[in-house]
Structure formats: structure tokens, C-alpha cells
Amino acid sequence: MRNQTPGGVPPGSRKRPALLWLLLPYVLFLVALPLVNRLTPTVFGLPFLFSWMLLATVATPGAVWLARRGDLRRGQR
């Protein structure tokens, strides 16, 4: 087989655990949303839901950066 490495594993099928960081925005926006949908606690004068969405929006570029950084490190090995 032409497209296999000497170990017998195709080049694109190796695990890439750094890409698990990309699940963070999904979890923050969709999975946790029903749990934080309330108005009573306020954070810096903002309703909790608005604060949560702001946190998720700010955390998304960080998660993408961590995934890219981990993937680039994997490629250097």
C-alpha cells in the first residue's frame, strides 16, 4: 500500500488530541446554556446569562489558539 507509513498506519489517521479544545466553545454555548439561563445572579451588574455568553465568546479564540498550537507541535515531531 503506497499511502501507509512503515508502521502500517495511514498518515492522516493518527490521533490529534489537541483538537479537543475545539469542543470547548460548543459546550459553553450549547450544552451549558440551559443550565445558566437565569436572571437572578448578576455578574458586574449583568444578568448571568449575558455574562456566560460573554465569557464563551471571549474563550472561543483561546480554544482555537490552543488547538492550533497543539496541532503545530504535533506536526513538528
Side-chain angles (χ1 to χ4, degrees):
M1 309 235 187
R2 296 187 323 218
N3 294 336
Q4 289 187 349
T5 58
V9 179
S13 68
R14 289 186 224 115
K15 293 183 181 180
R16 297 164 72 177
L19 296 183
L20 289 175
W21 283 109
L22 297 177
L23 290 176
L24 180 68
Y26 176 77
V27 169
L28 287 177
F29 276 111
L30 297 178
V31 175
L33 194 60
L35 304 174
V36 298
N37 190 12
R38 53 193 77 193
L39 296 174
T40 47
T42 58
V43 180
F44 301 116
L46 299 171
F48 188 68
L49 178 61
F50 186 77
S51 304
W52 184 267
M53 297 303 279
L54 186 63
L55 169 81
T57 302
V58 170
T60 297
V64 172
W65 177 76
L66 285 169
R68 182 178 182 273
R69 182 176 149 217
D71 209 35
L72 288 176
R73 282 189 179 176
R74 180 186 159 273
Q76 289 175 353
R77 287 188 257 155

